Amino acid sequence: MTLEDTVASTTGEDVTRYPLDPLSGAEIQAAAAIIMASEYATPTLKFVMIQLAEPGKTPTLTFEGLDDVPRCAFASMYDAAAKMIYEAVVDLGARMIDSWTAVPGRFPSYLVEHMTGVEEKVREDPRWQEAMRQRGVTDFGLAMIDPWPAGYYGAADHYENSPLICRPLTFMRAAPSEHGYARPVEGLIVTFDLDAMEVIDIEDHGVVPLPPTAGNYSEQFMFDPNNRPAFTEFRDDVKPIEITQPEGPSFTVDGWKVQWQKWSLRIGFNPREGITLHEVTYTDRGETRPVMYRGSLSEMVVPYGDTSPTHWNKNVFDMGEVGMGFSANPLTLGCDCLGEIHYFDGTVNDSSGNAVTIPNAICMHEEDFGISWKHTDFRTEEVEVRRSRRLVISMICTVGNYEYGFFWYLYNDASIEVEVKLSGVLTTGAIAEGEEPRWGKMVAPGIYGPNHQHFFNFRLDMNVDGAGNSVYEVDSIPEPDPDLNPHRNAWITRDTLVASESEGARDWEWKTGRYWKVVNPSKRNELGSPVAYKLTPKDIVPVMVQEGSYIYDRARFVQHNLWVTKYDPKELYAAGDYMYQSADAQGLPEFIADDAPLEDADVVLWYTVGAHHVVRPEDWPVMPCAYTGFHLKPVGFFDGNPALDLPPSPPKACHAHGGGHPVAHVARES
């Protein structure tokens, strides 16, 4: 395909793409072709990420009815010969580069070939081979070598013209399809030059015997007596559950636009963030009301609490150093979703600028979610009950050993929930027989899981009932005036305005049941209060990252539960644009430095959720899902229960066995 043909493929039907729609494969390749045909191209220039350059906000917070918004691509690139990152904005319609920016002193996230090419090169290294022979390993083909991001060892990792590096860790399979993480090679660390694709150094901190038992979980090995735990058969008492919607789903899809009951939104996807939500609105009695302009995962980090040589530097920013979109699973096998499903493909790039399609990267379906509301009048025995339903938009990402599921739930009571599901396989360490790990827990003979945490920061660009919002911290406290609290039972809520960015780093307080609300001071409900949405935490995780550690400065966003900033289109990532192999604090600490005013402003919430993992034997050999997340709920946004108009469920939707009456009711004696 010629350059003209490639660029021409962005005209025609692509001209009608909505300004927030993700780049198509043709647009990705067109952007790469325009750059490689320009004066900026070099033989060693590689594409890191190519994604939509999102247009700036409009006064109406939507692009509906606008036909002249340019389609632009944002490309980040790395030139290993120049040791330089470059950024470009490409106007696809005009076939020109709008901007070209060098970013010195930073390192890129992984290129696609880094994830596959490192293993082969390490296997060929004679120093690594000798270290493996000392452990009794001669069949190097069974080794799994995971290209862990470099972390940060100190100034030697980041000097002028230093290479882009990673620090691979080795695991041994006993057979080609076996669970390799059951046999970690403890104490062996490779330092690998990703620029030259060669081993720089081998650290060997001493031989620890490979763990003796298998840890397989697939059907192929399920009943192997060497497994821990060992089972002899599958359960035979799990009866089928079938999810059917004979009239089809309640949602409609037009390209990337989704409408479901009273919700309307647009879905996006890019290599770094994966799923993004845009222009989220709710129709209330005929009026379309904005709730959130853009929602996305902003960053995540996994700090390990084990000071052993193989584990202490594991501080992976899985989004910023690898990419959630790149890591998305094609949801075509297994049972990731149930029901009437609509899939969206994800399109990313390889390092040459070719488009790569991840089929079914995003799953969307509806779920019954129990009771929405109910009341029984015990005098008349009249019962009113309505069932809750939610729209589920999800993506599951595999980053090495871990699986992360990201789920956005929209409920028919106008609330939004974000949930992260953590599964997959523990990062493991080996330990000599008779020893106990100090910084972790045993999961099987010879195998332990280090103490660690996972933190996920979500960026919520709010526009509650329009532009101009303010954020309040809400605490419940005992009535402070003794004269008004003679029975010592009264309590009130106290609202504290987050007036400027210098006050924008906030912490949760369990003693006061703290939450935060985003209000629109120019819009009032029928009671005269400003309309609002509140952010309510779920499980709050204590931060074990300690001041003085390298990861403390690299991941400052974990030091506070909530950050509030004024909208800036360049501020998208909580730990900054490029944190790989760098020690300094970026992102949110920089964003709040100018102390922008936040009252009646265009505000962005950055909320961090965590998972605190002291491992259990029950987490082995594959983890049951752990859950974390938060909720956004309307507070005075409506004049009453927005789910009041849900229709009753037909009787045929409920099936009973036995002789019980469908409504069981016991009245209390007076």
Side-chain angles (χ1 to χ4, degrees):
M1 180 180 286
T2 66
L3 173 60
E4 289 75 16
D5 291 336
T6 302
V7 178
S9 67
T10 67
T11 63
E13 64 177 3
D14 276 347
V15 170
T16 63
R17 293 174 69 83
Y18 193 77
L20 295 176
D21 286 353
L23 293 183
S24 66
E27 289 175 314
I28 287 172
Q29 295 184 174
I34 292 166
I35 289 170
M36 295 310 294
S38 75
E39 62 186 292
Y40 301 110
T42 69
T44 51
L45 189 68
K46 297 287 188 179
F47 292 94
V48 182
M49 295 183 184
I50 304 175
Q51 62 195 65
L52 178 70
E54 295 180 16
K57 289 182 180 179
T58 68
T60 58
L61 301 174
T62 182
F63 294 93
E64 294 287 353
L66 300 179
D67 300 323
D68 57 349
V69 181
R71 289 286 287 176
C72 294
F74 174 81
S76 58
M77 294 146 287
Y78 179 62
D79 191 329
K83 299 288 191 294
M84 186 69 72
I85 292 173
Y86 297 100
E87 297 177 341
V89 175
V90 179
D91 187 322
L92 296 168
R95 309 183 187 186
M96 63 180 292
I97 297 174
D98 278 355
S99 66
W100 183 271
T101 306
V103 184
R106 297 294 178 192
F107 293 91
S109 57
Y110 276 161
L111 302 177
V112 172
E113 62 261 31
H114 291 160
M115 299 301 292
T116 55
V118 170
E119 186 169 78
E120 178 182 352
K121 294 294 185 181
V122 172
R123 277 203 192 103
E124 296 171 354
D125 187 81
R127 294 165 292 179
W128 176 87
Q129 292 179 355
E130 178 57 29
M132 296 302 289
R133 289 190 190 96
Q134 291 179 19
R135 290 162 170 82
V137 175
T138 56
D139 186 350
F140 304 137
L142 291 175
M144 294 184 350
I145 301 160
D146 283 5
W148 275 72
Y152 190 73
Y153 269 30
D157 280 353
H158 196 151
Y159 57 89
E160 188 175 359
N161 294 323
S162 61
L164 175 65
I165 63 172
C166 69
R167 290 195 167 90
L169 299 176
T170 304
F171 305 84
M172 281 302 306
R173 298 183 191 270
S177 298
E178 271 217 329
H179 181 10
Y181 295 111
R183 294 183 177 88
V185 179
E186 189 64 43
L188 182 61
I189 307 168
V190 179
T191 301
F192 192 91
D193 183 340
L194 292 168
D195 292 336
M197 290 301 287
E198 63 183 21
V199 175
I200 297 174
D201 189 29
I202 298 286
E203 296 176 48
D204 192 341
H205 295 270
V207 174
V208 176
L210 295 175
T213 57
N216 297 308
Y217 52 85
S218 66
E219 184 175 357
Q220 177 184 0
F221 296 102
M222 183 69 183
F223 309 122
D224 183 342
N226 293 318
N227 262 351
R228 293 185 65 86
F231 294 96
T232 58
E233 60 184 4
F234 287 116
R235 305 179 190 191
D236 61 3
D237 56 353
V238 181
K239 305 302 182 184
I241 294 179
E242 296 183 1
I243 310 298
T244 62
Q245 293 182 269
E247 298 180 20
S250 303
F251 56 76
T252 60
V253 180
D254 180 9
W256 293 85
K257 182 177 182 178
V258 174
Q259 292 182 288
W260 178 71
Q261 297 189 29
K262 299 183 176 186
W263 287 105
S264 176
L265 71 152
R266 290 185 175 274
I267 296 176
F269 184 88
N270 64 64
R272 182 163 179 162
E273 298 163 299
I275 291 176
T276 55
L277 302 188
H278 305 261
E279 295 187 6
V280 181
T281 66
Y282 193 89
T283 299
D284 174 31
R285 292 171 290 183
E287 180 187 0
T288 298
R289 305 175 67 186
V291 175
M292 182 168 63
Y293 183 77
R294 190 183 194 273
S296 63
L297 178 70
S298 139
E299 191 51 82
M300 62 168 293
V301 67
V302 189
Y304 279 76
D306 184 340
T307 196
S308 301
T310 321
H311 306 288
W312 75 267
N313 69 305
K314 291 178 177 175
N315 301 295
V316 184
F317 297 81
D318 285 325
M319 188 184 119
E321 295 182 330
V322 180
M324 285 296 112
F326 283 131
S327 306
N329 288 186
L331 302 176
T332 52
L333 299 174
C335 295
D336 298 296
C337 310
L338 291 176
E340 292 283 335
I341 299 168
H342 183 92
Y343 289 111
F344 298 87
D345 293 345
T347 306
V348 296
N349 61 279
D350 68 15
S351 62
S352 298
N354 299 308
V356 178
T357 297
I358 303 172
N360 301 354
I362 299 174
C363 171
M364 184 173 72
H365 67 290
E366 295 176 275
E367 287 181 349
D368 179 274
F369 198 66
I371 294 173
S372 176
W373 56 267
K374 177 176 181 174
H375 183 61
T376 300
D377 188 325
F378 74 86
R379 293 180 175 83
T380 65
E381 295 194 353
E382 292 178 347
V383 180
E384 290 286 347
V385 60
R386 302 292 188 271
R387 296 200 64 77
S388 177
R389 189 179 296 189
R390 64 186 184 184
L391 182 70
V392 184
I393 303 166
S394 63
M395 168 186 72
I396 299 175
C397 302
T398 299
V399 187
N401 52 299
Y402 258 104
E403 262 71 30
Y404 298 105
F406 298 96
F407 291 74
W408 292 82
Y409 302 128
L410 276 65
Y411 291 87
N412 48 18
D413 66 354
S415 63
I416 301 172
E417 183 181 9
V418 175
E419 184 173 66
V420 183
K421 299 181 183 181
L422 299 87
S423 187
V425 178
L426 299 169
T427 289
T428 51
I431 194 165
E433 184 177 358
E435 293 186 6
E436 286 289 329
R438 181 173 179 83
W439 303 289
K441 300 294 181 184
M442 299 293 294
V443 295
I447 309 173
Y448 79 99
N451 298 335
H452 63 282
Q453 297 182 298
H454 303 255
F455 293 101
F456 308 86
N457 184 274
F458 288 87
R459 180 181 181 274
L460 308 170
D461 184 352
M462 304 299 292
N463 58 346
V464 175
D465 227 3
N469 289 178
S470 301
V471 178
Y472 288 86
E473 188 169 83
V474 183
D475 293 296
S476 296
I477 60 172
E479 168 57 61
D481 187 341
D483 293 337
L484 298 177
N485 192 15
H487 308 294
R488 302 183 64 84
N489 68 316
W491 53 277
I492 63 172
T493 58
R494 179 183 61 201
D495 290 7
T496 302
L497 174 69
V498 182
S500 70
E501 289 181 332
S502 65
E503 304 169 8
R506 315 301 297 184
D507 295 309
W508 184 69
E509 175 55 73
W510 74 271
K511 292 180 180 179
T512 62
R514 180 172 291 170
Y515 62 87
W516 297 274
K517 65 180 180 182
V518 183
V519 310
N520 188 326
S522 64
K523 300 287 182 70
R524 302 273 168 168
N525 59 29
E526 68 175 3
L527 302 176
S529 301
V531 300
Y533 260 75
K534 70 175 181 178
L535 190 156
T536 58
K538 291 174 73 174
D539 296 332
I540 302 294
V541 169
V543 177
M544 295 289 108
V545 172
Q546 298 154 43
E547 190 169 2
S549 65
Y550 290 129
I551 192 59
Y552 182 91
D553 283 329
R554 299 183 72 214
R556 285 286 181 94
F557 71 88
V558 307
Q559 298 303 321
H560 300 283
N561 303 111
L562 180 78
W563 302 68
V564 187
T565 65
K566 187 174 182 179
Y567 170 77
D568 184 325
K570 298 186 295 295
E571 297 175 355
L572 289 173
Y573 311 120
D577 293 343
Y578 304 104
M579 77 292 300
Y580 195 100
Q581 211 172 311
S582 181
D584 55 334
Q586 302 174 61
L588 282 165
E590 297 176 319
F591 300 165
I592 66 172
D594 60 351
D595 194 21
L598 295 175
E599 188 173 8
D600 196 8
D602 191 351
V603 299
V604 178
L605 304 185
W606 309 72
Y607 186 65
T608 301
V609 300
H612 184 77
H613 203 172
V614 180
V615 306
R616 313 167 296 154
E618 291 85 352
D619 292 325
W620 185 254
V622 62
M623 291 167 45
C625 274
Y627 305 87
T628 187
F630 62 93
H631 231 120
L632 291 168
K633 297 182 178 182
V635 180
F637 192 82
F638 303 99
D639 292 332
N641 181 352
L644 198 63
D645 60 348
L646 290 177
S649 301
K652 66 180 181 180
C654 304
H655 301 276
H657 293 278
H661 190 276
V663 177
H665 171 65
V666 177
R668 294 179 297 171
E669 292 185 357
S670 299

